[in-house]
Amino acid sequence: MVYRGKPGLGCELCRKRRLACDRRRPSCSQCLRINQECSGYRDPNTLRILDQSNEVAVKAHRRRTASKSPPTDRATSSAALLPPPRSPDDQAMSYVFNYYVGTLKAQGVMPYLVDLLHGDPSPALQATIRAVGLANMSREPHYRRMARKEYSIALRATNDALKDSVSATSDSTLGAVLLLSTYEMITGSLWDEQSGWKNHVQGAIKLLELRGVEQLNSRAGLELFTTVRFQSAISSIFYKIPNNNTARMAELSHAARSMRHQHFLPIEDFYNILLRVGDLAMRVENAHLGVTFIWNLQQLIDEAIFLDADLELWRASLSPVWYYTTIDISHTPSKDLPHFPPRRDKYHVYHNIGLASMWNNYRQIRLVLNEMIRFMCLRLWRLQRAPEYQQTIGQCMAIMKQMVDDICATIPYHFLSGEAGSGAAVRLLWPLYFAGSSTATDPSTREWIAQNLDVIGNSAALQQAESMAQILRKEVTLDVIPGRIS
């Protein structure tokens, strides 16, 4: 209870106007003067006590709370809002999830890692994730050392997992092998015969055969199966080595086809074309052997042209689910493209990063195929001077130029659309390299591609991107096109 002081005893009007009230009856003089009805007067014995218990209790609680909190200044308050420092391992894991896994709305290239970690967070898988994350952060020397150390740990853990019949066939172990190949992609500088990437991919394809049809029953298992097969098929083309189209793999591919939605059956069709291109690449590489090489080349040119026509038919048969939008950003302010060299052109927008990657696989394979056709025609033209070879060479150049333009048009989407950027860049490297090294690419476009590879190398810490940029500028040709001649 609180004493509120001496109450005023005048009428209501006088109290409001703060006038001296003479308290006459029946009306005070002030009310009579203005012809106002007087409200009467308050009893002088009215209690002067007001219950303020709740108000006092609230104030007391505030004082106690304040007294228990240490005094702070502005700097201390700001610091309290900052998150605590994280360990390098935490940063590495966060990097992979931000850029490779992504979100439900903007998935990266490895969304299956979430399922793998929930289902079987094996030491091998966790170590390879940390190795990849640290490798992406390896601009600083101590992170580079930590990445190499974690990679060694991951190799040992993966080898241990492969020795066990149960863990060898798990999704987690296959995911670890794929991540080891990603590490090699990030840190590698040359495309050589001893590439760790190639070795890991070849190992992963053997795991697919061991895992059997059961691996296709889960979303993660089907994604892993698709990724490994494509990497294997593409590497067989670039390395000119026999593909892994064994009877067992054919059986598994048939099973995978039966499990796909009809809109995504083109994935299986494209894989079959890749196998045919790989087989052709092996024969083109060896076509110069023997006295019948001219006949061999003529046969291979015809086969390659038919194969290129099948690729075009594959593209034309795609459902609207696969379509992308072409936009003209010639009037877009440069601030909207802050990371890339300016290029006033048209660019593509895709439904997701997976479709963008599939389209670029199609384009780079058509580039390789038409380069092979061009090389074979050029060789025969030098020997026979037949005009049909010149005509075919011109057709190849037109197709390759279109593929180069389309690959270049995908660059902004990988980084500016909300998709996971650095992980997407891993899939962008080789299409960009083939676009830059194509004989249909003019010098200014080649330099622009090299600049973009520089940007990718710097922003995503992909050393291979920087190596590719240097190779393009030096106009040194890597031996990845079957049948290439000087």
Side-chain angles (χ1 to χ4, degrees), residues 215-272:
Q215 67 186 301
L216 306 175
N217 294 331
S218 68
R219 178 184 61 181
L222 185 58
E223 288 180 356
L224 286 167
F225 179 79
T226 302
T227 301
V228 171
R229 280 190 314 160
F230 270 87
Q231 289 193 8
S232 174
I234 290 173
S235 65
S236 70
I237 297 170
F238 297 160
Y239 284 113
K240 283 87 72 176
I241 58 177
N243 59 50
N244 293 282
N245 189 29
T246 62
R248 180 60 167 162
M249 283 303 302
E251 176 188 350
L252 292 172
S253 296
H254 180 74
R257 185 182 189 90
S258 66
M259 295 180 179
R260 291 196 189 279
H261 189 280
Q262 62 175 353
H263 290 312
F264 299 103
L265 289 178
I267 292 176
E268 300 301 323
D269 296 332
F270 184 70
Y271 174 70
N272 290 332

Side-chain angles (χ1 to χ4, degrees), residues 191 234-240 364-365 368 430 434 479-480:
W191 184 263
I234 290 173
S235 65
S236 70
I237 297 170
F238 297 160
Y239 284 113
K240 283 87 72 176
Q364 72 175 352
I365 293 304
V368 172
W430 282 101
F434 281 119
D479 185 23
V480 292

